[in-house]
Amino acid sequence: MPLQAIRQVAKPQNGVGAFILQCKSLHFTYCDWAGSSKGMNSFLTHYLPRFAQQNPQIEITVSPKPRKHPVIKGNYINGREKAVCVANMDPKEIVKKAVLLRDASGEKLKKVTKPVKSLNESVRGIWDPFHGHQWKI
Amino acid sequence: MKRVRVERWGGSLLPPRNPRLQCPFSAGERACNVPIRSRTLRPITAPSQQQRQFTSTRRIRQDVEIAAVADELEAPPATRYPSPRADRQSAKLAALHARLSLPARFPLQTLSRCLIDASANPESSQNNSSLALLGQDLLGYHTAEWLICNYPRLPMPVLFAAEYAYIGPATLSNMRAEWGVEAAAAPGEEVDPGYLQFTRQQAGNAMAEDGMHRIKEFEHIRAKGTGRANEQYNWRRGVSSRIVYDDQFGDLQSGLADPVVGPGGSMLTSTPKDGSSAAQLEPAELAPLDDASASGELKSTTLEQASASFIRAVFGALYLHCGAAALRDFHASHILSRHLPLHTLFNFKYPTRDLSRLCKREGFEPPVARLESETGRHSRTPVFVVGVYSGKDKLGEDAGSSLDEGRVRAAAAALRGWYLYSPPKDRVVLPSQASEGRWRPQMVDPGEIIT
């Protein structure tokens, strides 16, 4: 056999072809009695139907959680979970938090210092002494 | 964890969990009036002599009820397996449909069928096996035509590896996770249809029932039913035979019917009984799943295989519901958009010899390696840049830490350059685009060098 092949797995590039929203599901909890859920209850009745309609790719679940602050929990494709407590917030603030969770990638927050991240290897290759500036002694 | 209420989905079909209840959720008659087999009580708990003195009518009624429940448990209910019924609503399923941007013509019921593996429901009209078979062929066709038209000189082993990288089971299994599909712990009618359902294979390291052996020690290591003649012999598999007999990745197939050698052939594993021909016996051999379903056992599978069959089934179903153009777009956006540097798939053994054979075949002048530049010849990190020339044409260049390494690497670079030739993008017209009225003959190279 003149040559053999090395088996690999092609890497995903989300957004190059299809884009898949990384937020899988959002879970809203509320309390009927406590005052911290006042904004959440208003959000659930007036804003959530529209939000769910605009984002059909997110599975939305609502459940009561008595005597607790209202929380939005997002589950992401990478398996992580992100939770935001929305106690004492206005419905419009809660919409902002829901949008934040929808747009998150699920990764831990980290500082991006390099401007470009690429799967391709560098065009310039590894350093070699024959190209670029020649040092003369 | 909160228990899921089964009544919501199949309340009219299932008997009540508590037999004393008078079926608040169902029509009543069918589920509640379980036929009690006269007075033949099963000794579930053998009562002692003292207890029998206090046996009352109430006690007898309880025993009858317990016996009825035991009968119910013994007889399997009509719907044991998960099925893609139209009335089963699921937020997960609808979200998955929207997440993949599937067309509205792709029904949710079919998507839920794609999520039922053959190991979860052996009924072929309810599981994804037929869709997966179609999808596998479609995936193979579209990927192979794209690879061959865009890289017409790709050697066959590399073509196999590239197909494996794009549509192999490992990649499809990753895609299942990237699509946000989770697998159910065990299949069942009560499982949300948005989960991938399959029967999990036991780990090979698990102890077998005899307590002395591992499960993997009982399994035959070599695949059976490869479709090759004389598969009991460990014959060499060349590339040409891989193209003819094996699957899209050049791997042995399994589970195929044995090739029939002849009426008196010694290769027949099962001899025909009393005049029935081998052809009549074949359907029974070809349908191991039906046998398994008859005995009430399900074949088990791994998460990777089940995930791959789900992805294939989605492609097959998309073709059936939405047509070839939708499938091609979906394939381009989900498969061909993946990142695969093809030049890393090559593994040369004798690149200098291959290059000289190639030059001979193509009528070029024999290749000559020349030192382009060097540094630190007598240091511990020397670098030699070697170029390979055919006459005045430079075929390839690379650097190595010795003269020989530089020469070999330069020859490999020249071969990679030859094999990875790609025609201009505007000249590539795939054969599947002929239905759009575009057709252009495509160049395909005679193949790699055989040494």
Side-chain angles (χ1 to χ4, degrees):
Chain A
M1 203 175 265
L3 87 158
Q4 288 174 335
I6 299 163
R7 282 196 163 175
Q8 289 185 8
V9 170
K11 288 176 190 150
Q13 295 173 292
N14 193 19
V16 173
F19 173 70
I20 288 180
L21 195 75
Q22 295 295 295
C23 180
K24 266 199 295 196
S25 65
L26 287 179
H27 187 200
F28 298 84
T29 59
Y30 66 96
C31 171
D32 278 327
W33 171 80
S36 65
S37 286
K38 197 178 158 212
M40 182 54 139
N41 292 343
S42 161
F43 168 82
L44 292 180
T45 45
H46 296 110
Y47 291 84
L48 187 62
R50 193 173 152 79
F51 179 81
Q53 218 165 23
Q54 286 170 344
N55 301 290
Q57 61 272 63
I58 300 175
E59 179 197 352
I60 287 174
T61 46
V62 180
S63 59
K65 203 166 184 189
R67 300 184 303 281
K68 295 281 187 293
H69 282 324
V71 170
I72 312 177
K73 271 186 192 167
N75 284 294
Y76 294 88
I77 280 180
N78 61 2
R80 294 183 64 87
E81 190 187 74
K82 204 168 266 195
V84 175
C85 179
V86 289
N88 304 313
M89 281 191 190
D90 294 339
K92 293 207 170 160
E93 284 177 286
I94 297 177
V95 169
K96 278 184 194 163
K97 292 294 178 192
V99 167
L100 182 140
L101 285 178
R102 178 199 69 188
D103 294 341
S105 71
E107 295 285 340
K108 273 187 175 181
L109 296 180
K110 55 190 165 193
K111 197 172 181 181
V112 179
T113 49
K114 297 275 165 59
V116 177
K117 208 168 86 172
S118 175
L119 289 170
N120 294 314
E121 58 193 47
S122 161
V123 177
R124 293 175 64 178
I126 54 170
W127 178 86
D128 75 283
F130 307 108
H131 297 92
H133 186 66
Q134 303 276 323
W135 289 99
K136 299 283 183 195
I137 301 171
Chain B
M1 206 174 77
K2 203 176 174 187
R3 178 172 287 188
V4 178
R5 292 182 63 183
V6 181
E7 298 87 20
R8 286 188 56 200
W9 293 318
S12 59
L13 296 170
L14 293 174
R17 203 178 297 137
N18 185 347
R20 263 165 271 182
L21 287 177
Q22 286 301 314
C23 297
F25 303 107
S26 66
E29 288 185 10
R30 181 181 37 186
C32 274
N33 294 344
V34 179
I36 298 169
R37 292 183 185 167
S38 67
R39 289 275 166 182
T40 52
L41 297 183
R42 205 157 300 184
I44 292 175
T45 52
S48 66
Q49 194 66 35
Q50 202 176 3
Q51 277 176 334
R52 264 183 205 158
Q53 292 173 358
F54 304 105
T55 303
S56 62
T57 49
R58 181 179 168 76
R59 171 102 193 159
I60 289 175
R61 241 182 57 211
Q62 274 184 354
D63 280 358
V64 169
E65 280 159 4
I66 290 168
V69 172
D71 281 356
E72 233 174 85
L73 288 176
E74 272 185 12
T79 53
R80 265 177 63 196
Y81 302 124
S83 62
R85 292 211 316 270
D87 57 336
R88 297 187 64 185
Q89 299 291 325
S90 162
K92 268 187 200 308
L93 200 63
L96 175 64
H97 192 280
R99 196 178 300 142
L100 297 180
S101 311
L102 291 171
R105 290 172 64 189
F106 194 110
L108 283 178
Q109 197 186 347
T110 310
L111 190 60
S112 74
R113 186 179 160 184
C114 292
L115 283 161
I116 298 172
D117 190 72
S119 63
N121 189 340
E123 184 67 39
S124 60
S125 64
Q126 310 226 324
N127 64 30
N128 66 9
S129 57
S130 53
L131 295 172
L133 191 69
L134 174 66
Q136 171 75 341
D137 285 348
L138 289 166
L139 277 172
Y141 169 69
H142 283 285
T143 312
E145 79 166 1
W146 185 85
L147 280 169
I148 292 172
C149 291
N150 279 282
Y151 299 96
R153 287 179 182 149
L154 224 48
M156 207 58 214
V158 178
L159 185 64
F160 278 146
E163 284 208 44
Y164 181 87
Y166 275 120
I167 56 163
T171 308
L172 297 187
S173 178
N174 286 356
M175 276 178 73
R176 193 261 318 153
E178 287 152 22
W179 286 3
V181 177
E182 295 157 34
E189 179 70 7
E190 75 283 3
V191 175
D192 188 312
Y195 284 109
L196 175 64
Q197 298 189 50
F198 66 101
T199 307
R200 284 170 195 266
Q201 197 171 36
Q202 224 178 346
N205 257 346
M207 200 59 92
E209 280 182 12
D210 62 355
M212 302 285 287
H213 298 88
R214 309 262 176 204
I215 284 175
K216 63 185 174 189
E217 291 166 14
F218 290 109
E219 303 260 338
H220 296 288
I221 295 166
R222 293 180 56 193
K224 293 284 180 185
T226 56
R228 287 167 171 265
N230 302 314
E231 65 181 22
Q232 69 271 33
Y233 303 122
N234 195 11
W235 283 356
R236 182 181 161 274
R237 295 186 294 132
V239 171
S240 305
S241 77
R242 279 171 203 247
I243 297 167
V244 175
Y245 291 114
D246 295 349
D247 66 1
Q248 293 151 331
F249 320 120
D251 290 337
L252 281 177
Q253 304 192 69
S254 62
L256 296 182
D258 287 342
V260 179
V261 172
S266 58
M267 292 305 150
L268 278 174
T269 50
S270 57
T271 52
K273 290 173 207 162
D274 48 86
S276 63
S277 69
Q280 282 171 333
L281 278 175
E282 261 182 37
E285 288 170 2
L286 277 174
L289 272 184
D290 294 344
D291 292 348
S293 67
S295 64
E297 285 178 18
L298 285 170
K299 274 182 82 174
S300 56
T301 184
T302 59
L303 176 59
E304 185 180 272
Q305 286 167 350
S307 309
S309 75
F310 157 62
I311 303 277
R312 288 168 188 151
V314 169
F315 277 84
L318 188 73
Y319 177 75
L320 292 178
H321 282 292
C322 310
L327 176 83
R328 211 171 47 239
D329 290 347
F330 197 73
H331 177 262
S333 56
H334 281 96
I335 303 282
L336 298 180
S337 68
R338 298 178 78 86
H339 178 81
L340 178 67
L342 280 175
H343 68 272
T344 56
L345 299 183
F346 289 84
N347 184 16
F348 295 106
K349 202 168 185 189
Y350 305 110
T352 48
R353 192 175 73 184
D354 289 358
L355 186 62
S356 66
R357 292 296 292 261
L358 176 69
C359 289
K360 198 173 182 186
R361 191 186 81 178
E362 298 296 323
F364 303 154
E365 284 182 43
V368 177
R370 295 193 185 119
L371 186 62
E372 303 257 334
S373 59
E374 64 170 81
T375 183
R377 182 181 280 251
H378 298 297
S379 72
R380 66 191 288 273
T381 52
V383 177
F384 301 96
V385 177
V386 179
V388 174
Y389 289 82
S390 166
K392 285 192 171 178
D393 300 326
K394 189 176 188 180
L395 301 180
E397 178 198 305
D398 212 337
S401 57
S402 71
L403 285 170
D404 215 32
E405 187 192 343
R407 184 174 60 97
V408 168
R409 290 175 68 104
L415 282 172
R416 260 188 232 112
W418 170 265
Y419 284 138
L420 287 175
Y421 161 76
S422 186
K425 291 287 170 205
D426 55 334
R427 296 185 70 88
V428 174
V429 180
L430 302 178
S432 65
Q433 291 173 332
S435 58
E436 296 166 7
R438 302 173 63 205
W439 187 78
R440 188 198 283 269
Q442 299 289 303
M443 191 273 279
V444 179
D445 198 70
E448 70 261 32
I449 309 111
I450 309 294
T451 47

